[in-house]
């Protein structure tokens, strides 16, 4: 077992407070700019050097390098799902061994732990940190940068929140969102309903067709989640939309699902179907994490690995064939919920785990 690095839990909590108290909802570019500057300042204070802000359509990403030949990328994000004003209702607190506040678990706690773990190492060369601004909304503006740095470094440690019970995440499903739009024709619902083409009725047919695409026996879920249609109660609706969440475990299922959405056909004469979307995050196979998970188990005997349904930026790096281990961040729960929390007692152990993995990768 390697010697534990010397980290201060009190110092980590203060940096966590600093990050949480700068709200960073996805797509709010002004808020994300302030958040990126705060993340950069924390990194520079703890690690030295210069944290560079990389502008993107989704907001500024933060990139730091310890110099030397790149060997390992620590990957995270600073955007959160919580709108401005959440902090006033749910301020940062530490009580009864739990830190609470918007983003503590997903995933500001993981960032703080990784930075402090790395700060305790005498040598920080070969390490890069990339903290993106748009992970919660699909990573469209950061994906190319993520993939570039992952390929350059050759190993990725994702500091998303831990799995239930503190395990790391060794596999993730591919994730996608589809929007199915129906164009019909309006008419008076009382005087001449047959003159219209009812987009809502067509959407109902489509929901049943779409739900039937699921194959839970191979891990594929297809879940209609949001629908809208109509204008007034006496008008045959001319338009309707259905939004669908898709999760897949294999590349073959990704291909099947995308082809099935492209092939959706109307049931009503003169209705028109338009489909947008894809399985944007490819699956993260457990094989991508196997090597790094074995190292983590040597560092922290008894550590569990779990495959989970949610996606992260680790899906992109694993799909490139880059060894990727996820869920190395905060131990806690309640991601995206008002009861989100981080267990303070686990902070030092997780900082040590990241530091140990960095050393092991560089010495391999």
């Amino acid at each position: 077992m390697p010697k534990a690095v010397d980290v201060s839990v009190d110092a980590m909590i203060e940096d966590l407070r600093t990050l949480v108290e700068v709200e960073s909802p996805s797509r709010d570019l002004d808020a994300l700019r302030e958040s990126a500057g705060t993340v950069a300042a924390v990194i520079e204070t703890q690690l030295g050097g210069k944290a560079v802000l990389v502008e993107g359509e989704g907001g500024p990403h933060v990139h730091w390098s310890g110099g030397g030949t790149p060997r390992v990328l620590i990957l995270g994000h600073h955007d959160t799902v919580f709108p401005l004003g959440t902090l006033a209702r749910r301020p940062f607190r530490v009580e009864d061994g739990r830190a609470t506040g918007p983003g503590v678990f997903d995933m500001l706690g993981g960032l703080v732990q990784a930075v402090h773990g790395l700060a305790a190492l005498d040598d920080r060369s070969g390490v890069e940190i990339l903290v993106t601004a748009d992970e919660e909304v699909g990573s469209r503006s950061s994906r190319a940068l993520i993939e570039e740095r992952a390929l350059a470094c050759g190993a990725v440690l994702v500091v998303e929140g831990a799995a239930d019970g503190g395990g790391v995440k060794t596999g993730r499903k591919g994730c996608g969102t589809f929007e199915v739009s129906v164009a019909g024709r309006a008419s008076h619902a009382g005087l001449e309903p047959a003159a219209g083409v009812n987009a809502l009725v067509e959407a109902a047919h489509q929901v049943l067709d779409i739900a039937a695409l699921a194959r839970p026996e191979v891990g594929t879920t297809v879940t209609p989640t949001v629908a809208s249609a109509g204008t007034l109660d006496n008008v045959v609706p001319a338009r309707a939309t259905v939004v669908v969440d898709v999760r897949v475990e294999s590349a073959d299922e990704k291909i099947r699902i995308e082809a099935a959405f492209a092939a959706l056909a109307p049931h009503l004469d003169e209705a028109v179907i338009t489909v947008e979307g894809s399985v944007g995050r490819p699956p993260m196979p457990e094989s991508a994490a196997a090597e790094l998970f074995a190292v983590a188990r040597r560092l922290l005997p008894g550590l569990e690995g779990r495959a989970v349904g949610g996606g992260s930026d680790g899906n992109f790096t694993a799909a490139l064939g880059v060894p990727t281990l996820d869920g190395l961040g905060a131990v806690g729960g309640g991601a995206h919920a008002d009861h989100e929390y981080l267990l303070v007692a686990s902070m030092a152990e997780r900082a040590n785990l990241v530091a140990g993995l960095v050393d092991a990768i560089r010495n391999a």
Side-chain angles (χ1 to χ4, degrees):
M1 288 286 294
K3 182 180 177 181
V5 298
D6 184 15
V7 295
S8 166
V9 173
D10 289 342
M12 285 194 283
I13 288 173
E14 285 310 304
D15 278 346
L16 180 57
R17 178 191 301 275
T18 296
L19 296 186
V20 171
E21 290 183 346
V22 179
E23 293 183 284
S24 54
S26 304
R27 297 194 175 101
D28 187 323
L29 299 187
D30 290 338
L32 290 167
R33 194 164 290 109
E34 182 179 0
S35 173
T38 305
V39 170
V42 168
I43 291 173
E44 290 173 356
T45 298
Q46 297 298 332
L47 301 178
K50 178 66 175 175
V52 177
L53 300 190
V54 181
E55 292 296 331
E57 290 183 6
H61 317 304
V62 183
H63 180 245
W64 177 90
S65 172
T69 303
R71 296 292 304 280
V72 56
L73 176 67
I74 295 174
L75 181 58
H77 63 89
H78 65 97
D79 64 318
T80 70
V81 300
F82 303 104
L84 291 180
T86 302
L87 186 68
R89 177 173 56 84
R90 192 158 56 87
F92 180 81
R93 288 194 178 96
V94 180
E95 295 176 348
D96 300 324
R98 293 187 173 199
T100 56
V104 290
F105 177 69
D106 186 13
M107 62 168 293
L108 302 174
L111 292 177
V112 168
Q113 291 165 181
V115 169
H116 279 255
L118 189 57
L121 296 176
D122 293 332
D123 179 12
R124 300 161 198 165
S125 64
V127 184
E128 295 188 12
I129 299 173
L130 178 59
V131 187
T132 64
D134 62 348
E135 191 274 345
E136 296 288 7
V137 290
S139 304
R140 289 177 179 83
S141 75
S142 58
R143 180 174 181 175
L145 179 60
I146 291 166
E147 293 177 336
E148 173 196 311
R149 298 324 306 157
L151 288 168
C153 291
V156 177
L157 306 177
V158 185
V159 289
E160 290 277 4
D164 289 346
V168 293
K169 296 171 180 176
T170 53
R172 286 185 179 272
K173 289 186 179 184
C175 309
T177 301
F178 292 82
E179 183 172 289
V180 179
S181 300
V182 180
R185 184 171 59 246
S187 66
H188 195 294
L191 295 178
E192 47 181 1
V197 178
N198 195 315
L200 177 55
V201 171
E202 180 60 53
H205 285 293
Q206 295 299 321
V207 164
L208 295 176
D209 291 347
I210 290 165
L213 298 174
R215 287 184 180 172
E217 68 277 9
V218 295
T220 300
T221 60
V222 181
T223 310
T225 54
V226 180
S228 63
T231 53
L232 294 171
D233 59 2
N234 62 351
V235 178
V236 171
R239 298 197 174 274
T241 61
V242 178
V243 179
V244 186
D245 178 277
V246 172
R247 310 283 166 138
V248 299
E249 287 186 1
S250 71
D252 287 345
E253 280 295 275
K254 174 183 185 295
I255 293 169
R256 181 185 72 84
I257 287 293
E258 290 178 341
F261 271 92
L264 288 175
H267 289 250
L268 304 182
D269 291 342
E270 300 185 71
V272 177
I273 306 295
T274 305
V275 178
E276 295 182 351
S278 65
V279 180
R281 291 187 193 274
M284 175 183 166
E286 292 190 75
S287 58
E291 180 182 350
L292 293 176
F293 180 51
V295 176
R297 287 287 296 266
R298 291 197 294 271
L299 295 168
L300 191 59
L303 181 69
E304 293 186 355
R306 298 188 182 184
V308 297
S312 82
D313 287 335
N315 290 59
F316 298 133
T317 63
L320 297 172
V322 177
T324 300
L325 187 58
D326 204 338
L328 288 162
V331 177
H336 298 189
D338 280 353
H339 67 279
E340 181 182 21
Y341 68 94
L342 171 153
L343 295 178
V344 173
S346 297
M347 294 184 76
E349 182 178 80
R350 300 302 273 203
N352 266 273
L353 179 57
V354 172
L357 281 164
V358 165
D359 258 354
I361 292 166
R362 291 187 306 188
N363 294 329

